[in-house]
Amino acid sequence: MLSEQTIATIKSTVPVLEVHGTTITKRFYQMMFEAHPELLNIFNHANQKQGRQQGALANAVYAAAQHIDRLEEILPVVRQIAHKHRSLGIKPEHYPIVGKYLLAAIKDVLGDAATDEIIAAWAEAYGVIANAFIDVEAEMYKEAEQQQGGWSDFKSFLVQKKVKESDQITSFYLVPQDGQVLPAFEPGQYIGLQMRIPGEHNTHIRQYSLSDAPGQPHYRISVKREDAVGSRPSGKVSVYLHEQVQAGDVLQVSAPAGDFTLDRTDRRPVVLISGGVGLTPMVSMLASLVESAPDRPITFVHAAVNGDNHALRNEVEKLVATHAQAAVRWCYSRPTEQDRLAQAFHKEGRLDLAWLQSVIPERNAQYYFCGPEGFMQSVYALLKEWNIPASDIHYEFFGPARAWEAEAQ
Protein backbone atom coordinates (compact mmCIF):
# COMPACT_ATOMS: atom_id res chain seq x y z
CA MET A 1 0.00 0.00 0.00
CA LEU A 2 1.22 3.48 -0.82
CA SER A 3 1.20 6.22 1.79
CA GLU A 4 -1.22 9.11 1.53
CA GLN A 5 1.73 11.45 1.03
CA THR A 6 3.05 9.39 -1.85
CA ILE A 7 -0.39 9.26 -3.49
CA ALA A 8 -0.79 13.03 -3.16
CA THR A 9 2.66 13.65 -4.60
CA ILE A 10 2.08 11.34 -7.58
CA LYS A 11 -1.28 12.95 -8.32
CA SER A 12 0.36 16.38 -8.26
CA THR A 13 2.52 15.30 -11.21
CA VAL A 14 -0.44 14.41 -13.49
CA PRO A 15 -0.57 17.83 -15.24
CA VAL A 16 3.19 17.72 -15.82
CA LEU A 17 3.02 14.22 -17.29
CA GLU A 18 0.23 15.30 -19.61
CA VAL A 19 2.56 17.93 -21.10
CA HIS A 20 5.97 16.25 -20.88
CA GLY A 21 5.11 12.52 -20.83
CA THR A 22 6.32 11.65 -24.32
CA THR A 23 9.50 13.69 -23.92
CA ILE A 24 10.24 11.77 -20.72
CA THR A 25 9.63 8.36 -22.31
CA LYS A 26 11.74 9.19 -25.38
CA ARG A 27 14.60 10.11 -23.08
CA PHE A 28 13.95 6.97 -21.01
CA TYR A 29 14.35 4.62 -23.97
CA GLN A 30 17.41 6.50 -25.20
CA MET A 31 19.16 6.22 -21.81
CA MET A 32 18.12 2.62 -21.19
CA PHE A 33 19.24 1.31 -24.59
CA GLU A 34 22.56 3.13 -24.31
CA ALA A 35 23.22 1.39 -21.00
CA HIS A 36 21.58 -1.95 -21.89
CA PRO A 37 21.73 -2.55 -25.66
CA GLU A 38 20.84 -6.21 -25.06
CA LEU A 39 17.24 -5.10 -24.44
CA LEU A 40 17.02 -4.26 -28.15
CA ASN A 41 16.59 -8.03 -28.58
CA ILE A 42 13.15 -7.71 -26.95
CA PHE A 43 11.72 -4.34 -27.99
CA ASN A 44 10.09 -3.75 -31.38
CA HIS A 45 12.50 -1.53 -33.30
CA ALA A 46 9.86 -0.29 -35.74
CA ASN A 47 7.63 0.91 -32.91
CA GLN A 48 10.64 2.68 -31.42
CA LYS A 49 11.53 4.45 -34.68
CA GLN A 50 7.93 5.55 -35.26
CA GLY A 51 7.59 6.86 -31.70
CA ARG A 52 4.69 4.52 -30.99
CA GLN A 53 6.29 2.77 -28.03
CA GLN A 54 7.26 6.08 -26.45
CA GLY A 55 3.72 7.43 -26.78
CA ALA A 56 2.26 4.21 -25.38
CA LEU A 57 4.50 4.27 -22.33
CA ALA A 58 3.66 7.94 -21.75
CA ASN A 59 -0.04 7.04 -21.80
CA ALA A 60 0.58 4.17 -19.37
CA VAL A 61 2.54 6.34 -16.94
CA TYR A 62 -0.11 9.04 -17.12
CA ALA A 63 -2.89 6.48 -16.46
CA ALA A 64 -0.96 5.03 -13.50
CA ALA A 65 -0.58 8.50 -12.00
CA GLN A 66 -4.29 9.22 -12.45
CA HIS A 67 -5.31 5.96 -10.79
CA ILE A 68 -2.55 5.74 -8.20
CA ASP A 69 -5.09 5.73 -5.34
CA ARG A 70 -7.13 2.93 -6.95
CA LEU A 71 -4.66 0.75 -8.83
CA GLU A 72 -7.15 -2.12 -8.83
CA GLU A 73 -8.96 -0.29 -11.65
CA ILE A 74 -6.01 -0.81 -14.00
CA LEU A 75 -5.51 -4.50 -13.18
CA PRO A 76 -7.26 -5.63 -16.41
CA VAL A 77 -4.71 -3.57 -18.35
CA VAL A 78 -1.91 -5.07 -16.25
CA ARG A 79 -3.04 -8.57 -17.22
CA GLN A 80 -3.30 -7.65 -20.90
CA ILE A 81 0.23 -6.22 -20.92
CA ALA A 82 1.52 -9.12 -18.80
CA HIS A 83 0.37 -11.58 -21.48
CA LYS A 84 2.46 -9.68 -24.03
CA HIS A 85 5.41 -9.54 -21.63
CA ARG A 86 5.31 -13.30 -21.04
CA SER A 87 5.15 -13.87 -24.80
CA LEU A 88 8.20 -11.63 -25.28
CA GLY A 89 10.21 -13.17 -22.45
CA ILE A 90 10.19 -10.21 -20.04
CA LYS A 91 11.65 -11.33 -16.70
CA PRO A 92 11.73 -9.91 -13.12
CA GLU A 93 15.32 -8.73 -13.56
CA HIS A 94 14.22 -6.33 -16.30
CA TYR A 95 12.00 -4.27 -13.98
CA PRO A 96 14.74 -2.65 -11.85
CA ILE A 97 16.46 -1.56 -15.07
CA VAL A 98 13.27 0.03 -16.38
CA GLY A 99 12.64 1.74 -13.02
CA LYS A 100 16.16 3.13 -12.81
CA TYR A 101 16.05 4.82 -16.21
CA LEU A 102 12.43 5.94 -15.97
CA LEU A 103 13.25 7.87 -12.81
CA ALA A 104 16.46 9.18 -14.38
CA ALA A 105 14.51 10.38 -17.41
CA ILE A 106 11.93 12.17 -15.24
CA LYS A 107 14.76 13.96 -13.45
CA ASP A 108 16.60 14.70 -16.69
CA VAL A 109 13.59 16.22 -18.48
CA LEU A 110 11.98 18.07 -15.57
CA GLY A 111 15.20 19.27 -13.95
CA ASP A 112 14.71 21.11 -10.66
CA ALA A 113 10.94 20.61 -10.92
CA ALA A 114 11.54 16.91 -10.19
CA THR A 115 12.24 17.36 -6.50
CA ASP A 116 13.64 14.65 -4.26
CA GLU A 117 10.13 14.20 -2.88
CA ILE A 118 8.67 13.58 -6.35
CA ILE A 119 11.42 11.15 -7.35
CA ALA A 120 11.04 9.25 -4.05
CA ALA A 121 7.27 9.04 -4.52
CA TRP A 122 7.63 7.71 -8.07
CA ALA A 123 10.24 5.22 -6.93
CA GLU A 124 7.81 3.89 -4.32
CA ALA A 125 4.92 3.82 -6.77
CA TYR A 126 6.99 2.13 -9.48
CA GLY A 127 7.99 -0.57 -7.01
CA VAL A 128 4.34 -1.37 -6.27
CA ILE A 129 3.35 -1.42 -9.97
CA ALA A 130 6.40 -3.47 -10.99
CA ASN A 131 5.68 -6.07 -8.30
CA ALA A 132 2.12 -6.39 -9.61
CA PHE A 133 3.48 -7.17 -13.09
CA ILE A 134 6.13 -9.56 -11.74
CA ASP A 135 3.57 -11.53 -9.71
CA VAL A 136 1.06 -11.80 -12.57
CA GLU A 137 3.73 -12.77 -15.08
CA ALA A 138 5.25 -15.38 -12.75
CA GLU A 139 1.89 -17.11 -12.61
CA MET A 140 1.57 -16.92 -16.41
CA TYR A 141 5.02 -18.47 -16.94
CA LYS A 142 4.09 -21.23 -14.51
CA GLU A 143 0.79 -21.93 -16.28
CA ALA A 144 2.46 -21.98 -19.71
CA GLU A 145 5.14 -24.42 -18.57
CA GLN A 146 3.04 -26.78 -16.47
CA GLN A 147 0.22 -27.50 -18.90
CA GLN A 148 0.47 -30.65 -21.02
CA GLY A 149 3.11 -30.09 -23.67
CA GLY A 150 3.89 -26.68 -22.20
CA TRP A 151 7.19 -24.83 -22.10
CA SER A 152 8.77 -21.64 -20.82
CA ASP A 153 10.38 -18.94 -22.98
CA PHE A 154 10.91 -20.05 -26.61
CA LYS A 155 10.81 -23.51 -28.17
CA SER A 156 11.92 -24.84 -31.59
CA PHE A 157 9.12 -25.45 -34.09
CA LEU A 158 9.34 -26.82 -37.62
CA VAL A 159 7.56 -25.10 -40.48
CA GLN A 160 5.44 -28.03 -41.65
CA LYS A 161 4.06 -26.17 -44.68
CA LYS A 162 3.66 -22.68 -46.10
CA VAL A 163 0.43 -21.70 -47.91
CA LYS A 164 -0.25 -18.50 -49.83
CA GLU A 165 -3.72 -17.27 -48.84
CA SER A 166 -3.89 -13.99 -50.82
CA ASP A 167 -1.63 -11.47 -52.56
CA GLN A 168 -0.40 -10.27 -49.16
CA ILE A 169 -1.10 -13.04 -46.62
CA THR A 170 0.66 -16.39 -46.22
CA SER A 171 -0.05 -19.10 -43.63
CA PHE A 172 2.65 -21.02 -41.79
CA TYR A 173 1.83 -24.38 -40.19
CA LEU A 174 4.09 -25.03 -37.20
CA VAL A 175 4.77 -28.26 -35.28
CA PRO A 176 7.10 -28.87 -32.29
CA GLN A 177 10.54 -30.04 -33.44
CA ASP A 178 10.70 -32.45 -30.48
CA GLY A 179 7.43 -34.13 -31.50
CA GLN A 180 5.73 -33.34 -28.19
CA VAL A 181 1.99 -32.72 -27.92
CA LEU A 182 0.81 -29.17 -28.56
CA PRO A 183 -0.63 -27.30 -25.56
CA ALA A 184 -4.23 -26.17 -25.84
CA PHE A 185 -4.99 -22.51 -26.50
CA GLU A 186 -8.02 -20.27 -26.47
CA PRO A 187 -9.32 -18.93 -29.81
CA GLY A 188 -8.06 -15.36 -30.14
CA GLN A 189 -4.68 -15.99 -28.53
CA TYR A 190 -1.31 -15.41 -30.21
CA ILE A 191 2.21 -16.78 -30.22
CA GLY A 192 5.52 -14.92 -30.35
CA LEU A 193 8.19 -15.61 -32.98
CA GLN A 194 11.79 -14.84 -32.06
CA MET A 195 13.58 -14.28 -35.36
CA ARG A 196 17.30 -14.22 -36.09
CA ILE A 197 17.57 -12.53 -39.47
CA PRO A 198 20.93 -12.72 -41.30
CA GLY A 199 22.67 -9.35 -41.26
CA GLU A 200 20.68 -8.09 -38.27
CA HIS A 201 22.59 -7.50 -35.04
CA ASN A 202 19.56 -8.03 -32.79
CA THR A 203 16.83 -10.63 -32.67
CA HIS A 204 13.31 -9.51 -33.54
CA ILE A 205 10.18 -10.73 -31.75
CA ARG A 206 6.74 -10.44 -33.32
CA GLN A 207 3.38 -11.72 -32.08
CA TYR A 208 0.90 -13.35 -34.45
CA SER A 209 -2.63 -14.58 -33.77
CA LEU A 210 -3.31 -18.28 -34.15
CA SER A 211 -5.62 -18.58 -37.14
CA ASP A 212 -6.82 -22.17 -36.83
CA ALA A 213 -9.09 -23.91 -34.32
CA PRO A 214 -7.62 -25.37 -31.13
CA GLY A 215 -7.08 -29.12 -31.09
CA GLN A 216 -5.22 -29.35 -34.42
CA PRO A 217 -1.86 -31.16 -34.68
CA HIS A 218 -0.28 -27.81 -35.60
CA TYR A 219 -0.31 -24.12 -34.79
CA ARG A 220 -1.14 -21.92 -37.76
CA ILE A 221 -0.34 -18.24 -38.19
CA SER A 222 -1.37 -16.20 -41.22
CA VAL A 223 1.04 -13.33 -41.77
CA LYS A 224 0.59 -10.21 -43.87
CA ARG A 225 3.64 -9.03 -45.76
CA GLU A 226 4.23 -5.45 -44.65
CA ASP A 227 5.84 -3.63 -47.58
CA ALA A 228 7.20 -0.09 -47.36
CA VAL A 229 4.55 2.62 -47.74
CA GLY A 230 5.64 6.26 -47.91
CA SER A 231 7.88 6.97 -44.92
CA ARG A 232 6.95 3.69 -43.24
CA PRO A 233 9.65 1.04 -43.81
CA SER A 234 8.87 -2.53 -44.75
CA GLY A 235 8.36 -5.06 -41.96
CA LYS A 236 11.63 -6.92 -41.46
CA VAL A 237 10.06 -10.01 -39.93
CA SER A 238 7.03 -10.31 -42.21
CA VAL A 239 9.12 -9.82 -45.37
CA TYR A 240 11.69 -12.35 -44.14
CA LEU A 241 8.94 -14.88 -43.39
CA HIS A 242 7.40 -14.42 -46.84
CA GLU A 243 10.63 -14.38 -48.83
CA GLN A 244 13.04 -16.65 -46.95
CA VAL A 245 11.29 -19.02 -44.55
CA GLN A 246 10.30 -22.32 -46.14
CA ALA A 247 8.86 -25.68 -45.12
CA GLY A 248 11.43 -27.53 -43.02
CA ASP A 249 12.89 -24.41 -41.43
CA VAL A 250 12.99 -24.04 -37.64
CA LEU A 251 11.45 -21.07 -35.82
CA GLN A 252 11.60 -20.12 -32.14
CA VAL A 253 8.07 -19.87 -30.71
CA SER A 254 6.67 -18.73 -27.35
CA ALA A 255 3.62 -20.44 -25.87
CA PRO A 256 0.13 -19.07 -26.68
CA ALA A 257 -0.80 -15.94 -24.77
CA GLY A 258 -3.42 -13.19 -24.71
CA ASP A 259 -6.71 -12.31 -23.05
CA PHE A 260 -8.68 -11.57 -26.25
CA THR A 261 -10.70 -14.76 -25.98
CA LEU A 262 -14.27 -15.94 -26.34
CA ASP A 263 -16.58 -15.74 -23.36
CA ARG A 264 -17.91 -19.29 -23.42
CA THR A 265 -20.29 -18.73 -20.49
CA ASP A 266 -22.31 -16.15 -22.43
CA ARG A 267 -24.87 -17.80 -24.71
CA ARG A 268 -25.93 -14.65 -26.52
CA PRO A 269 -25.18 -14.13 -30.24
CA VAL A 270 -21.58 -13.45 -31.31
CA VAL A 271 -20.51 -10.79 -33.82
CA LEU A 272 -17.01 -11.15 -35.28
CA ILE A 273 -15.77 -8.08 -37.17
CA SER A 274 -12.37 -7.94 -38.87
CA GLY A 275 -10.35 -5.88 -41.29
CA GLY A 276 -7.46 -7.14 -43.42
CA VAL A 277 -5.20 -9.60 -41.63
CA GLY A 278 -7.22 -8.95 -38.46
CA LEU A 279 -9.44 -11.84 -39.51
CA THR A 280 -6.91 -14.37 -38.19
CA PRO A 281 -8.15 -14.58 -34.56
CA MET A 282 -11.74 -14.34 -35.86
CA VAL A 283 -11.31 -17.44 -38.01
CA SER A 284 -10.03 -19.31 -34.96
CA MET A 285 -13.04 -18.12 -32.95
CA LEU A 286 -15.45 -19.04 -35.74
CA ALA A 287 -13.96 -22.52 -36.13
CA SER A 288 -14.29 -23.10 -32.40
CA LEU A 289 -17.85 -21.76 -32.20
CA VAL A 290 -19.28 -23.84 -35.04
CA GLU A 291 -18.04 -26.96 -33.27
CA SER A 292 -18.75 -26.10 -29.63
CA ALA A 293 -21.83 -23.82 -29.82
CA PRO A 294 -24.18 -25.08 -32.57
CA ASP A 295 -27.12 -23.10 -31.16
CA ARG A 296 -25.31 -19.78 -30.73
CA PRO A 297 -26.02 -17.27 -33.54
CA ILE A 298 -22.87 -15.95 -35.26
CA THR A 299 -22.40 -13.01 -37.63
CA PHE A 300 -18.99 -12.87 -39.34
CA VAL A 301 -18.19 -9.52 -40.97
CA HIS A 302 -14.92 -8.99 -42.81
CA ALA A 303 -13.60 -5.90 -44.59
CA ALA A 304 -10.90 -6.19 -47.26
CA VAL A 305 -9.63 -4.04 -50.10
CA ASN A 306 -10.80 -6.55 -52.70
CA GLY A 307 -10.83 -10.23 -53.55
CA ASP A 308 -7.11 -10.31 -54.31
CA ASN A 309 -6.39 -9.23 -50.72
CA HIS A 310 -9.04 -11.42 -49.11
CA ALA A 311 -7.49 -14.37 -47.27
CA LEU A 312 -9.18 -17.52 -45.94
CA ARG A 313 -12.47 -16.71 -47.66
CA ASN A 314 -13.26 -20.27 -48.74
CA GLU A 315 -12.39 -21.60 -45.29
CA VAL A 316 -14.75 -19.15 -43.59
CA GLU A 317 -17.58 -19.93 -46.01
CA LYS A 318 -17.18 -23.67 -45.42
CA LEU A 319 -17.28 -23.15 -41.66
CA VAL A 320 -20.39 -20.97 -41.88
CA ALA A 321 -22.08 -23.59 -44.06
CA THR A 322 -21.82 -26.12 -41.22
CA HIS A 323 -23.61 -23.89 -38.70
CA ALA A 324 -27.34 -23.31 -39.10
CA GLN A 325 -27.31 -19.93 -37.34
CA ALA A 326 -24.11 -18.48 -38.82
CA ALA A 327 -23.95 -15.81 -41.51
CA VAL A 328 -21.05 -14.11 -43.27
CA ARG A 329 -20.85 -10.66 -44.89
CA TRP A 330 -17.99 -9.28 -46.97
CA CYS A 331 -17.20 -5.58 -47.35
CA TYR A 332 -14.72 -4.51 -50.09
CA SER A 333 -13.42 -0.95 -50.09
CA ARG A 334 -12.10 -1.06 -53.68
CA PRO A 335 -13.50 -4.14 -55.44
CA THR A 336 -12.00 -5.26 -58.73
CA GLU A 337 -14.05 -5.67 -61.88
CA GLN A 338 -13.81 -9.43 -61.36
CA ASP A 339 -15.23 -8.98 -57.84
CA ARG A 340 -18.18 -7.08 -59.33
CA LEU A 341 -18.85 -9.65 -62.02
CA ALA A 342 -18.74 -12.44 -59.46
CA GLN A 343 -20.88 -10.47 -56.96
CA ALA A 344 -18.18 -11.41 -54.47
CA PHE A 345 -19.07 -8.86 -51.79
CA HIS A 346 -22.10 -7.56 -49.92
CA LYS A 347 -21.04 -3.93 -49.47
CA GLU A 348 -18.72 -1.59 -51.34
CA GLY A 349 -16.81 1.07 -49.43
CA ARG A 350 -16.20 1.18 -45.70
CA LEU A 351 -18.22 -0.18 -42.81
CA ASP A 352 -20.90 2.17 -41.54
CA LEU A 353 -23.43 1.88 -38.76
CA ALA A 354 -26.52 1.68 -40.95
CA TRP A 355 -25.11 -1.30 -42.84
CA LEU A 356 -23.89 -3.04 -39.70
CA GLN A 357 -27.33 -2.63 -38.14
CA SER A 358 -28.87 -4.17 -41.27
CA VAL A 359 -26.69 -7.30 -41.20
CA ILE A 360 -26.49 -7.91 -37.44
CA PRO A 361 -29.81 -9.54 -36.54
CA GLU A 362 -29.59 -9.05 -32.77
CA ARG A 363 -28.03 -5.97 -31.17
CA ASN A 364 -27.81 -7.68 -27.76
CA ALA A 365 -24.67 -9.67 -28.51
CA GLN A 366 -20.97 -10.06 -27.76
CA TYR A 367 -18.79 -8.09 -30.21
CA TYR A 368 -15.21 -9.05 -31.08
CA PHE A 369 -13.09 -7.13 -33.56
CA CYS A 370 -9.52 -6.93 -34.84
CA GLY A 371 -7.70 -5.18 -37.67
CA PRO A 372 -5.49 -2.21 -38.53
CA GLU A 373 -5.52 0.63 -36.03
CA GLY A 374 -7.68 3.00 -38.09
CA PHE A 375 -10.19 0.23 -38.77
CA MET A 376 -10.41 -0.66 -35.09
CA GLN A 377 -10.86 2.93 -34.04
CA SER A 378 -13.70 3.23 -36.57
CA VAL A 379 -15.43 0.01 -35.46
CA TYR A 380 -15.13 0.97 -31.82
CA ALA A 381 -16.69 4.37 -32.56
CA LEU A 382 -19.55 2.72 -34.49
CA LEU A 383 -20.32 0.33 -31.65
CA LYS A 384 -20.28 3.15 -29.11
CA GLU A 385 -22.58 5.19 -31.36
CA TRP A 386 -24.93 2.20 -31.36
CA ASN A 387 -24.75 2.27 -27.53
CA ILE A 388 -23.24 -1.19 -27.25
CA PRO A 389 -22.15 -1.58 -23.60
CA ALA A 390 -18.40 -1.54 -23.01
CA SER A 391 -18.69 -4.96 -21.34
CA ASP A 392 -19.85 -6.44 -24.66
CA ILE A 393 -16.98 -4.96 -26.71
CA HIS A 394 -13.77 -6.99 -27.05
CA TYR A 395 -10.80 -6.31 -29.31
CA GLU A 396 -7.20 -7.19 -30.02
CA PHE A 397 -4.64 -4.66 -31.16
CA PHE A 398 -1.02 -5.55 -31.87
CA GLY A 399 1.34 -2.73 -31.06
CA PRO A 400 1.64 -0.13 -28.32
CA ALA A 401 -1.60 1.07 -26.72
CA ARG A 402 -3.11 4.21 -28.18
CA ALA A 403 -5.26 6.90 -26.63
CA TRP A 404 -8.49 5.38 -27.94
CA GLU A 405 -7.63 2.10 -26.27
CA ALA A 406 -7.14 3.81 -22.92
CA GLU A 407 -10.60 5.27 -23.35
CA ALA A 408 -11.97 1.84 -24.20
CA GLN A 409 -10.86 0.23 -20.96
Side-chain angles (χ1 to χ4, degrees):
M1 295 293 293
L2 296 173
S3 69
E4 290 297 325
Q5 182 59 45
T6 296
I7 290 171
T9 302
I10 294 293
K11 279 191 167 292
S12 74
T13 65
V14 168
V16 178
L17 292 174
E18 190 171 13
V19 175
H20 299 288
T22 302
T23 304
I24 291 170
T25 55
K26 284 181 179 178
R27 182 65 177 137
F28 154 73
Y29 282 115
Q30 181 185 12
M31 296 170 75
M32 184 175 69
F33 290 144
E34 285 175 356
H36 294 274
E38 73 277 6
L39 293 180
L40 288 166
N41 290 313
I42 297 175
F43 285 84
N44 186 314
H45 301 191
N47 288 337
Q48 287 290 322
K49 289 179 180 178
Q50 296 169 29
R52 300 174 71 201
Q53 193 76 55
Q54 295 90 330
L57 179 58
N59 287 338
V61 173
Y62 179 71
Q66 281 186 309
H67 296 89
I68 198 67
D69 55 342
R70 50 189 193 283
L71 286 175
E72 67 278 359
E73 292 187 16
I74 64 171
L75 278 177
V77 181
V78 169
R79 289 197 62 81
Q80 182 185 55
I81 297 173
H83 272 287
K84 295 183 184 295
H85 282 180
R86 202 273 294 154
S87 178
L88 292 169
I90 300 293
K91 296 295 176 61
E93 56 265 30
H94 293 133
Y95 283 92
I97 298 172
V98 170
K100 176 181 177 179
Y101 290 99
L102 183 59
L103 295 176
I106 292 173
K107 184 67 176 176
D108 188 66
V109 171
L110 300 184
D112 292 341
T115 64
D116 291 345
E117 181 186 15
I118 286 174
I119 295 299
W122 267 105
E124 184 183 349
Y126 177 80
V128 170
I129 295 169
N131 284 335
F133 275 103
I134 290 169
D135 290 345
V136 170
E137 289 161 19
E139 188 61 33
M140 288 181 176
Y141 277 107
K142 183 178 177 182
E143 289 175 2
E145 187 170 14
Q146 291 186 351
Q147 64 177 315
Q148 185 180 15
W151 71 96
S152 181
D153 297 319
F154 291 87
K155 178 176 177 174
S156 296
F157 273 65
L158 282 172
V159 179
Q160 187 181 57
K161 63 178 178 177
K162 178 180 178 181
V163 179
K164 185 175 181 179
E165 307 287 5
S166 74
D167 284 356
Q168 295 179 311
I169 297 173
T170 293
S171 288
F172 298 82
Y173 290 73
L174 310 174
V175 295
Q177 189 178 31
D178 61 10
Q180 293 295 311
V181 66
L182 276 176
F185 69 91
E186 287 294 317
Q189 289 192 308
Y190 53 81
I191 57 174
L193 296 188
Q194 184 187 63
M195 305 295 296
R196 298 187 181 275
I197 299 175
E200 291 286 322
H201 179 70
N202 298 109
T203 58
H204 297 266
I205 302 176
R206 296 294 184 272
Q207 294 159 325
Y208 296 105
S209 294
L210 292 158
S211 61
D212 209 346
Q216 305 298 317
H218 57 257
Y219 286 158
R220 184 180 73 178
I221 57 172
S222 302
V223 179
K224 179 187 176 186
R225 178 185 172 124
E226 298 289 353
D227 291 310
V229 177
S231 61
R232 189 190 74 191
S234 60
K236 288 182 180 179
V237 173
S238 69
V239 170
Y240 184 74
L241 285 168
H242 276 250
E243 291 187 351
Q244 303 299 327
V245 173
Q246 303 297 333
D249 288 347
V250 178
L251 301 178
Q252 298 303 308
V253 178
S254 64
D259 62 353
F260 176 65
T261 56
L262 286 168
D263 182 352
R264 298 180 183 277
T265 64
D266 193 325
R267 306 309 298 174
R268 288 179 298 161
V270 180
V271 180
L272 307 173
I273 306 174
S274 56
V277 74
L279 91 165
T280 53
M282 302 305 172
V283 174
S284 179
M285 289 183 178
L286 176 66
S288 178
L289 283 167
V290 298
E291 180 177 334
S292 64
D295 299 324
R296 196 171 178 186
I298 309 165
T299 303
F300 190 103
V301 177
H302 180 62
V305 175
N306 52 47
D308 295 337
N309 291 272
H310 189 171
L312 304 173
R313 174 177 177 141
N314 291 340
E315 182 172 329
V316 169
E317 290 181 336
K318 287 179 181 177
L319 287 168
V320 168
T322 67
H323 192 293
Q325 296 193 65
V328 63
R329 295 291 183 268
W330 310 125
C331 177
Y332 287 179
S333 59
R334 297 194 300 275
T336 64
E337 192 58 35
Q338 184 176 353
D339 293 332
R340 297 183 194 281
L341 290 173
Q343 297 183 326
F345 55 95
H346 302 91
K347 175 177 171 52
E348 180 174 351
R350 300 191 179 279
L351 297 179
D352 59 60
L353 183 56
W355 185 73
L356 279 179
Q357 289 173 327
S358 73
V359 300
I360 296 173
E362 174 56 60
R363 175 183 170 278
N364 182 22
Q366 288 279 327
Y367 295 79
Y368 298 82
F369 63 95
C370 185
E373 184 178 355
F375 172 85
M376 294 185 63
Q377 187 170 5
S378 174
V379 171
Y380 178 74
L382 293 175
L383 295 179
K384 296 302 289 184
E385 184 181 350
W386 201 7
N387 294 318
I388 303 301
S391 58
D392 291 340
I393 298 175
H394 315 276
Y395 54 92
E396 180 70 279
F397 174 64
F398 287 99
R402 309 297 280 186
W404 71 268
E405 287 189 280
E407 178 187 343
Q409 296 299 335

